[in-house]
Amino acid sequence: MSARATWRNPRTWIAIASAVIVLLVALSDLGRSAPGPVATVHGQLAELNGGQSCRQCHGGLFSSMTESCLTCHAPIKAQLENGNGVHGRLGTQRASQCAMCHSEHHGGDFPLVNSVSFAQAGVGDPNTFDHGLIGFDMHGRHAELACAQCHLLANAAVLPPGERRFLGLQQTCTTCHHDPHQDRMQLACAACHGQDSFRQLIAPEHDKVLPLVGGHQGVACATCHGSDTAHSLDLVGSRQQTQARTCVDCHTSPHRPAFTVGAADGCASCHEPDHTTFAAAASLLTPAQHALGGHALTPPHDQATCAQCHGPQGASFAMRHPGRGADDCSACHEDPHAGQFADDPLAVGGCIACHARTHFAPHVFTTAQHALAALPLQGSHLDADCHRCHLQPTPREPRTFRGTTAQCDGCHADAHDGFFAEALSTRPEIAHGNCAHCHTATQFNKPLPGFDHGAWTGFALNGSHAEATCDTCHGQRQAKDAHGRSFGRVADRFLPRAGCVRCHQDPHAGRFDGAHLPAEVAGRSGCARCHGEASFRALPTTFEHGKWTGFALDQSHSKVACSGCHAPLPSADGGTSSIEPTRSFARAKGGACADCHQDPHGGQFVVDGRVDCARCHQPLHFKSLVFNHNLDARFVLGDAHQAVACAACHKAERISGHTGGHTGERDVARYRPLPHACVDCHGKHEEQLRRRPRRGQ
């Protein structure tokens, strides 16, 4: 910037003017002198003594005298800023004019705080200064004290350096008084003590906890706050935490604890603290207050009057208000069950265990609850009406619930007509009529799995019987009987006889039941003497053929298969014979040889319709003859005929027709009839017959 431009800049001229003014003021101050000596309290300060330091108090070019005063008097500055103390309440205008109250340059003996100072502050007489102006309510004994008793330098002519005349005191009792509680109290002294007398206790804050009116008025503190109790005055006001008391801590309550605890305001919910007697109720209970006693006035109790539940006023409180609960029905209502459930562990909660709070009928007793009783409700029992099992003996007697039998025969007739009574009599661990041992409530028509048929009926299901269904023997009825039973009995289908023949036809037609045959074999009787239950065709023991049939299987017969004599019968339905439904093999043709064997003689020896082979042959050894020609035939063999071969006389002939039980033509040896005369055989060959055969021929 050029020199010409600099002189034209306004800022340059303002700076020059300011410097000139400062210089003039400085020169003026050098020529001034104090109007008089300062007060001793200021004069003892080196920076204020000598009369040449006016700006220290009156300020300089850029500060005021008030600012200078507040620089040294910091506590006054704090009062002005916070608006408290004597100076803080004067207002900004007056507080900024320090010289109006504290005049200077009147000599060293002139007091800066004097009657004029108090008068300017609105205090006519310093001795009657109202400490309430500075936030300290001082009365009573404190009002009788001189200022110097608390403010020790109040009358001092000159304050020592750093000391204050009135400031510096704390508005706490222990500033002036000894603490007899040794700093144990958390509360201020004024919470218990007044300013008239330290020994006279007061409780200005007591109303926040308990108003001291009515019956509590005039009661000595020690009555409630004994020195040896947990609520002594030292403990209540101490730094230790003590729990506030309720009415029942001091007074005996006629109510149940739940009533007092449940009340939002405790006893005060119904009783006023200014009553001289606790028994005087404030007013009738509201429904909300009544509910706090544990008995809400909900339907149907909302329609009842007080007198219906609470006795006459002349009765005692305990009689009028016995402390009944909402679920304590029997306290007011007669028990319709006559005490049947008084000690029942299932009736937890009293009547409401089975009934609703609003109505007695219908009940709300569930099947789940009934399951806890002796008889769970299952199957058909779910549909049964309660009154069918729980009977009412007479209209005046209660309906029976406790003691109702859980046994089936208590309600149901025996569908087996006592059939199992004998079996049950030998099993004392099973109560008679306990049908549940074999049946369920949901399926009565079939026994439970694992039913021991042999133990209960005397007929064990073994072998093929175990594979049969129940319907095989117990057919379903078309119509239920008087017991409601559709499961058939064995007697309904089979003959009323014992043993296998009750159900099965005897394929032997009674041939093995003769008196000459054994009735038992190895402890088994009937068909079991020879047959087992697994298969009728498989014999569990060796069958003694001769013993049972009279035809012993000896020699060659012992090697013959059964089917050799007992031919398999033809079957039309996969196993059951169409000829004899109960047999698989035909009966033997007979016991004679000719019944099974072809007659080699073509019927020549048939006598009375049968052939007795044993007359000539040994049994089972057909080739071993027992025939004696001289005795058994009409032709005696002499010496000549003894050596003749049989075939020489008995030649083969073709015989046709029905002979010996066989039909057709065949060659058989002729035995009968034969001629007996010699000429019948020797008519043309006499020489030959007479000639004896030579040896070796």
Side-chain angles (χ1 to χ4, degrees):
M1 182 181 293
S2 64
R4 181 179 294 178
T6 300
W7 287 106
R8 290 179 179 179
N9 191 338
R11 294 182 178 179
T12 302
W13 289 104
I14 293 174
I16 294 172
S18 298
V20 173
I21 294 172
V22 171
L23 180 60
L24 292 174
V25 172
L27 293 174
S28 174
D29 185 54
L30 292 175
R32 294 179 59 186
S33 61
V38 296
T40 302
V41 68
H42 287 155
Q44 64 185 352
L45 300 176
E47 62 270 20
L48 300 181
N49 194 9
Q52 300 299 324
S53 303
C54 301
R55 64 177 180 273
Q56 293 293 332
C57 293
H58 295 277
L61 181 62
F62 299 105
S63 63
S64 65
M65 184 174 63
T66 301
E67 293 175 344
S68 298
C69 294
L70 297 180
T71 300
C72 294
H73 299 280
I76 304 303
K77 182 180 179 181
Q79 287 187 358
L80 296 177
E81 291 176 351
N82 298 326
N84 57 16
V86 175
H87 296 84
R89 59 176 293 275
L90 295 177
T92 304
Q93 182 65 28
R94 178 172 293 187
S96 63
Q97 299 175 3
C98 301
M100 290 183 62
C101 298
H102 307 285
S103 180
E104 219 351 326
H105 299 292
H106 297 293
D109 297 332
F110 184 79
L112 295 179
V113 179
N114 48 55
S115 59
V116 176
S117 302
F118 282 99
Q120 291 292 340
V123 180
D125 184 2
N127 294 321
T128 60
F129 176 72
D130 184 6
H131 284 74
L133 298 176
I134 59 173
F136 181 63
D137 182 19
M138 192 174 69
H139 59 275
R141 294 291 301 275
H142 287 136
E144 301 174 4
L145 299 176
C147 298
Q149 288 183 267
C150 293
H151 304 284
L152 301 180
L153 300 177
N155 300 324
V158 178
L159 291 176
E163 295 293 339
R164 300 287 186 267
R165 191 178 301 277
F166 296 107
L167 298 180
L169 296 182
Q170 298 293 326
Q171 295 182 6
T172 57
C173 300
T174 54
T175 302
C176 301
H177 302 279
H178 170 69
D179 181 8
H181 303 293
Q182 300 179 356
D183 198 32
R184 293 194 306 270
M185 294 296 183
Q186 186 176 10
L187 301 176
C189 300
C192 302
H193 302 278
Q195 298 184 37
D196 293 326
S197 173
F198 189 80
R199 297 184 179 278
Q200 182 180 358
L201 301 179
I202 62 171
E205 301 294 327
H206 208 286
D207 289 349
K208 295 181 179 180
V209 180
L210 176 66
L212 297 177
V213 295
H216 295 120
Q217 187 176 15
V219 177
C221 301
T223 302
C224 299
H225 302 280
S227 58
D228 57 346
T229 66
H231 297 277
S232 66
L233 294 177
D234 285 348
L235 292 176
V236 170
S238 70
R239 302 183 188 278
Q240 302 180 25
Q241 296 295 327
T242 57
Q243 187 176 3
R245 286 179 288 180
T246 61
C247 300
V248 293
D249 291 332
C250 299
H251 303 278
T252 302
S253 173
H255 307 293
R256 294 187 304 175
F259 181 82
T260 306
V261 174
D265 299 325
C267 303
S269 297
C270 305
H271 302 274
E272 294 292 342
D274 58 350
H275 288 164
T276 56
T277 172
F278 194 80
S283 62
L284 293 177
L285 289 178
T286 64
Q289 290 173 323
H290 200 285
L292 296 176
H295 196 322
L297 297 178
T298 55
H301 297 115
D302 59 333
Q303 302 299 322
T305 63
C306 300
Q308 287 180 281
C309 299
H310 302 285
Q313 293 300 318
S316 65
F317 182 88
M319 294 180 61
R320 288 185 288 113
H321 305 279
R324 293 161 290 195
D327 300 330
D328 190 11
C329 307
S330 60
C332 299
H333 302 278
E334 182 180 357
D335 182 7
H337 305 301
Q340 295 182 70
F341 301 106
D343 58 346
D344 194 338
L346 300 181
V348 178
C351 302
I352 63 168
C354 306
H355 302 277
R357 289 182 173 87
T358 56
H359 55 271
F360 189 79
H363 65 79
V364 294
F365 192 68
T366 64
T367 55
Q369 290 173 298
H370 204 288
L372 300 176
L375 179 64
L377 296 181
Q378 299 174 345
S380 301
H381 291 142
L382 288 172
D383 300 327
D385 186 81
C386 304
H387 295 169
R388 291 185 59 186
C389 299
H390 300 286
L391 306 177
Q392 188 173 9
T394 64
R396 294 185 178 183
E397 294 182 88
R399 190 172 299 278
T400 303
F401 289 94
R402 291 289 300 274
T404 301
T405 179
Q407 299 296 329
C408 304
D409 60 356
C411 298
H412 304 279
D414 183 7
H416 303 290
D417 292 332
F419 178 83
F420 294 117
E422 181 179 356
L424 285 167
S425 64
T426 62
R427 305 186 67 174
E429 75 277 8
I430 302 175
H432 179 64
N434 191 355
C435 305
H437 185 76
C438 302
H439 300 278
T440 65
T442 56
Q443 189 179 13
F444 193 80
N445 59 338
K446 289 184 179 180
L448 292 171
F451 175 71
D452 192 344
H453 200 278
W456 289 100
T457 67
F459 185 82
L461 297 180
N462 301 319
S464 298
H465 290 137
E467 300 176 3
T469 62
C470 300
D471 293 343
T472 303
C473 300
H474 303 275
Q476 292 290 327
R477 299 171 180 265
Q478 294 183 351
K480 295 182 179 181
D481 62 9
H483 301 301
R485 171 182 173 135
S486 60
F487 192 61
R489 291 179 169 83
V490 175
D492 296 339
R493 172 171 287 191
F494 302 106
L495 298 174
R497 292 186 296 180
C500 303
V501 295
R502 180 177 185 178
C503 303
H504 304 278
Q505 181 180 353
D506 182 9
H508 307 296
R511 290 184 178 87
F512 298 122
D513 295 331
H516 64 287
L517 296 175
E520 289 188 0
V521 175
R524 300 185 301 272
S525 61
C527 301
R529 293 174 296 174
C530 300
H531 300 279
E533 296 180 71
S535 173
F536 193 78
R537 295 172 179 81
L539 304 181
T541 59
T542 301
F543 180 68
E544 299 182 39
H545 202 277
K547 179 179 181 179
W548 291 97
T549 66
F551 188 86
L553 298 180
D554 298 327
Q555 301 298 326
S556 298
H557 284 144
S558 65
K559 301 177 182 180
V560 178
C562 299
S563 59
C565 298
H566 302 276
L569 294 174
S571 175
D573 55 1
T576 302
S577 172
S578 59
I579 300 175
E580 294 186 69
T582 59
R583 295 182 64 90
S584 298
F585 295 92
R587 292 182 174 86
K589 295 179 181 180
C593 300
D595 293 337
C596 297
H597 302 281
Q598 184 178 7
D599 184 5
H601 306 298
Q604 299 175 71
F605 298 102
V606 175
V607 178
D608 296 331
R610 61 184 297 272
V611 177
D612 185 8
C613 300
R615 291 171 53 195
C616 303
H617 302 275
Q618 279 193 352
L620 306 180
H621 293 281
F622 194 77
K623 294 182 179 181
S624 299
L625 298 177
V626 295
F627 179 75
N628 190 328
H629 209 284
N630 294 332
L631 299 176
D632 297 326
R634 290 181 296 173
F635 186 80
V636 179
L637 297 178
D639 293 337
H641 290 104
Q642 289 287 344
V644 177
C646 297
C649 297
H650 302 284
K651 296 180 171 52
E653 295 182 9
R654 178 157 298 274
I655 300 176
S656 62
H658 184 76
T659 58
H662 300 280
T663 302
E665 294 184 355
R666 55 194 179 95
D667 294 333
V668 298
R670 169 62 69 178
Y671 291 97
R672 299 177 65 183
L674 283 179
H676 301 113
C678 296
V679 295
D680 294 333
C681 296
H682 305 287
K684 295 181 179 181
H685 306 287
E686 293 179 2
E687 295 296 332
Q688 181 179 359
L689 293 174
R690 290 177 181 176
R691 189 177 54 192
R692 289 180 174 274
R694 297 177 181 179
R695 290 184 178 179
Q697 293 184 346

